[in-house]
Amino acid sequence: MISIVQIIKKGITLKTQVYDYLRDQIIIGGLKPGERLIEEKIAEELQVSRSPIREAIRMLEKDGLLVHSSGGVTIIQPTIEDFRYLYECRVEIEPLAAFYAAKRRSSEQLETIRGYLLQMGKISEKNTLKCVHDANVNFHEAIVQSSQNPFLVSMITQLRGVNSFYRKTFLEENHMYAEEARRDHQKIFQAIVDQDSEEARRLMKHHIKSDYNSFVRFSDQSLEGDKW
């Protein structure tokens, strides 16, 4: 890790910057599933006090990326079964969010979704795994927020930890995902623009099913019977 002092940004709290940095390290970088986080070591490496680290750890626990165990705070280590259970939730909840996003989205929210869609369209082979991951996450989360249903937002937020590892695993295996996802996202976005809620729901469900079926193909062959 490099010192966070070298990348400090004005106008953003230190706890948020530590959170963002550790989150990237967990999802994309050098921190491994099952690895224990040691506050003293992180403080020394990032050259910050332990207070913002503790706050960042609490935020990461809320995201589901960290868990308490007998050995302290460790990074979650999701299994293939966890990903299957995640799919069962996503395929029902996210299409519902798309349905209400088409009904309720504001003009500002529509522009936010459009911006993330354009961002994904600019991704090339030179982009890092982090760029692809972030563009995909931002698009989906903008739709969830546009549903304007706080209970839906809360439920989907609880899936964030396992979902982040799912996306990382899938992106590492399927290098064509960015273009495939962009095409699906464009159709979903158009349905939201048109306020066609049923079509937005149908397209989102199709997208998540297709996503999971591709994940199964690139994963353990014993999952072949789990295709939907």
Side-chain angles (χ1 to χ4, degrees), residues 66-105:
L66 298 178
V67 293
H68 276 284
S69 66
S70 56
V73 178
T74 58
I75 299 167
I76 63 165
Q77 195 165 10
T79 64
I80 291 296
E81 189 173 57
D82 289 329
F83 292 148
R84 183 188 300 119
Y85 292 150
L86 170 68
Y87 165 78
E88 290 174 358
C89 294
R90 288 189 66 207
V91 78
E92 298 299 333
I93 299 175
E94 287 196 44
L96 187 61
F99 176 90
Y100 285 112
K103 281 181 172 290
R104 299 171 178 164
R105 85 294 188 278

Side-chain angles (χ1 to χ4, degrees), residues 4-29:
I4 203 166
V5 172
Q6 300 173 27
I7 55 173
I8 198 76
K9 299 175 184 176
K10 293 182 179 180
I12 304 176
T13 63
L14 189 54
K15 73 173 181 180
T16 299
Q17 293 185 65
V18 173
Y19 163 81
D20 289 340
Y21 188 74
L22 289 177
R23 184 175 183 273
D24 285 346
Q25 288 294 309
I26 291 170
I27 297 171
I28 306 297

Side-chain angles (χ1 to χ4, degrees), residues 117 120-124 132 171 174-186 207:
L117 182 63
M120 197 160 194
K122 294 177 182 177
I123 290 175
S124 69
V132 180
L171 289 170
N174 184 2
H175 301 294
M176 296 298 294
Y177 176 75
E179 180 57 28
E180 294 169 2
R182 189 192 65 79
R183 289 194 296 266
D184 284 355
H185 289 179
Q186 179 63 58
H207 173 57

Side-chain angles (χ1 to χ4, degrees), residues 145-161:
Q145 292 293 332
S146 298
S147 74
Q148 300 188 38
N149 183 318
F151 296 102
L152 269 177
V153 172
S154 177
M155 285 188 287
I156 293 172
T157 297
Q158 289 182 38
L159 305 176
R160 187 178 291 160

Side-chain angles (χ1 to χ4, degrees), residues 33-47:
E35 184 175 340
R36 181 185 174 191
L37 286 191
I38 302 173
E39 287 183 20
E40 297 90 337
K41 181 179 179 182
I42 296 171
E44 182 180 349
E45 291 174 339
L46 299 185
Q47 297 181 26

